[in-house]
Amino acid sequence: MAPMARHFRGNTWPLRDVPNVSSLKSWPVPSGLRSFSPGPNNLLRVWARGQALSQAMMRAGAPLQQGGKAQGGLHKETPSSPGHPGRHFVLRITYLLTAVELTCLFMQFSILPYLAKNLGLDSVGFGYLQTIFGVLQLLGGPIFGRFADQWGARAALTLSFLAGSGLYLLLSLATNVPLLMASRIPALFMHVLPGAQMVITDLTPPADRPGALGKLGLCFGIGVILGSLLGGTLNTKFGLYAPASVAFLANITCTVISFMCIPTNTKVTSEVEATPSGKPPTAGVFDLKEIARLLGLPGVRPIFFIKILSGFPSGLFMIMFSIISMNFFELEAAQAGYLMSYFGVLQMVVQGLVIGRLTERYSEGALLQASILVFGCVGLAMALMTNVFHFCLIVPGLVFSLCTMNIVTDSILTKSVPPSDTGTMLGICASVQPLTRTIGPTIGGLLYKRFGVAAFGHLQFAVNFLLFLYLCKKNVPQKAKRAL
């Protein structure tokens, strides 16, 4: 006998699929349905709607389950999921690891000139040493970002700390110039700060991202202050190689902590993108076409070039600061150290306390325009300054514009690329400073020798004034959208 059917608002349901009406009467009725009469027709209508809803949910959930299987299992909540209790723990560990690594980095910066001098390097040789470091960082940034996107945050941070361990180990054993030069090679993969930025970008919603990235300024300030202090103290009490040995042990410890505490993949599972048919699942780590493709996405290239051009004049000034502090400001080594500590404290305050509050009230486009405007005013003041007191008055504006511009541009750029490419984008952003360190000494030296300190101020004012006019006409999006 063919199954009979009943019709419920356009849906046909075979009676063989409908449970016995008498059994439906005994089922518990939800509180929201207790007001209607539990007759057979009403109960059957509720059951039919439930069946339709269940089938619709199963159809909608099928792609998610398939996507979860492609990633190694069904979709489940991970530390990268919003609201997961482990997310805050991972963020705290990331901030801690970053502070330790930056402390080690500034420890080796404090002893490197003295070590190079003891090994017989002159100023030209020391310049080559710094150039090698800058070039390796410049080349390694995008490659490290691609590696982080493909292998996950844990592998990326672990690789970075292992590279740091190799650098500090070679530095602690550098008893000749070739070994000192060789100690720069691990810098190719030594990118803890971009790795930390990737973790924070993946684990924070877009609205909270600028403030979360700004807290890395606290880590940077701690690194500047503690690194300079510990480097000098260890050098005085235990010898020139002691800071490098301590940095090596600290990086080994950070490697273990990173491997044990950082999730394998910090990207939200729901944001995993399907690969278009006919295209390989992932491109290679060294695929330059993929890196160039990101710069061609809408809205990426203008912001990236603004990031490079706006901070380049002040970067030249900071590269030449050691010479300017001696010749122009006539400061002793200790006084120059106090001035750098002042710079570090201001950076901690601005990035850790000010940026987050500003991003809650103002859009990223408005903050970007404000930072460039302040950059121009600071450049004009630098062109007119005549002593160190004037520079101390200028530093708060310089720190504000530097921190705001870097954080806002990083945030806009990571929102402008697909979630699977945020690591690569942050790696490209991390190459800006090595680029300045690579070509900066030559350009900065020529400017200072021919035109004096005022040349840096004039250049900064001119570049940022033109960029401000460009932004006023360009109308940078106030809310950057993710690429599809």
Side-chain angles (χ1 to χ4, degrees), residues 50-329:
Q51 289 288 323
L53 179 61
S54 176
Q55 292 181 9
M57 291 176 65
M58 291 177 63
R59 287 193 298 268
L64 292 178
Q65 292 182 356
Q66 293 176 1
K69 292 178 181 178
Q71 297 298 319
L74 294 177
H75 174 77
K76 60 181 180 180
E77 191 175 20
T78 64
S80 60
S81 304
H84 191 278
R87 185 172 69 93
H88 297 290
F89 172 75
V90 174
L91 290 174
R92 294 190 187 100
I93 290 294
T94 303
Y95 288 129
L96 175 63
L97 293 176
T98 306
V100 172
E101 171 57 25
L102 289 173
T103 301
C104 295
L105 186 65
F106 281 95
M107 282 171 59
Q108 71 104 12
F109 283 161
S110 66
I111 67 167
L112 195 60
Y114 302 99
L115 182 58
K117 184 178 180 180
N118 284 354
L119 295 179
L121 276 181
D122 56 8
S123 58
V124 176
F126 184 72
Y128 291 151
L129 186 68
Q130 295 291 77
T131 301
I132 291 173
F133 185 84
V135 169
L136 290 172
Q137 289 265 289
L138 174 65
L139 297 176
I143 296 173
F144 178 83
R146 291 287 301 163
F147 179 85
D149 283 334
Q150 295 191 11
W151 295 92
R154 177 191 295 173
L157 282 177
T158 302
L159 173 64
S160 183
F161 285 118
L162 285 175
S165 302
L167 184 144
Y168 297 124
L169 178 61
L170 291 174
L171 189 62
S172 65
L173 300 175
T175 56
N176 52 62
V177 173
L179 200 53
L180 180 63
M181 292 290 184
S183 69
R184 306 294 95 185
I185 296 177
L188 182 67
F189 298 108
M190 192 174 164
H191 298 276
V192 172
L193 190 57
Q197 289 175 328
M198 173 188 168
V199 174
I200 293 169
T201 298
D202 291 340
L203 296 186
T204 54
D208 299 334
R209 189 170 299 166
L213 291 173
K215 292 179 182 177
L216 285 174
L218 292 172
C219 304
F220 190 88
I222 291 172
V224 171
I225 296 172
L226 287 183
S228 301
L229 179 63
L230 289 176
T233 303
L234 292 173
N235 181 18
T236 303
K237 291 188 175 182
F238 303 102
L240 193 57
Y241 293 95
S245 301
V246 171
F248 166 71
L249 295 177
N251 270 257
I252 289 293
T253 305
C254 289
T255 302
V256 176
I257 295 175
S258 173
F259 186 79
M260 295 179 62
C261 299
I262 301 298
T264 304
N265 185 13
T266 55
K267 298 186 183 298
V268 180
T269 308
S270 61
E271 292 182 343
V272 175
E273 300 172 335
T275 303
S277 58
K279 183 179 178 180
T282 54
V285 172
F286 298 96
D287 192 346
L288 298 180
K289 292 183 179 179
E290 282 295 309
I291 297 173
R293 178 184 63 84
L294 294 183
L295 295 177
L297 292 176
V300 171
R301 189 175 299 171
I303 299 297
F304 182 68
F305 282 113
I306 287 173
K307 182 181 182 69
I308 294 176
L309 295 175
S310 180
F312 185 71
S314 60
L316 295 179
F317 178 82
M318 296 307 298
I319 288 173
M320 301 299 298
F321 181 74
S322 59
I323 297 177
I324 293 173
S325 62
M326 287 188 298
N327 298 337
F328 185 77
F329 294 139

Side-chain angles (χ1 to χ4, degrees), residues 369-449:
Q369 290 179 338
S371 65
I372 291 178
L373 180 61
V374 175
F375 251 140
C377 297
V378 168
L380 188 60
M382 287 174 60
L384 300 175
M385 71 178 180
T386 57
N387 54 55
V388 69
F389 177 72
H390 293 164
F391 180 68
C392 289
L393 296 178
I394 295 171
V395 166
L398 179 63
V399 171
F400 169 80
S401 51
L402 274 173
C403 297
T404 305
M405 189 268 298
N406 285 329
I407 293 172
V408 169
T409 52
D410 286 349
S411 179
I412 293 176
L413 290 172
T414 54
K415 293 175 186 177
S416 301
V417 300
S420 59
D421 292 323
T422 54
T424 305
M425 191 69 252
L426 288 169
I428 296 173
C429 293
S431 300
V432 174
Q433 289 187 357
L435 174 65
T436 305
R437 288 199 301 265
T438 302
I439 65 177
T442 302
I443 300 176
L446 290 174
L447 285 176
Y448 180 70
K449 185 177 181 180

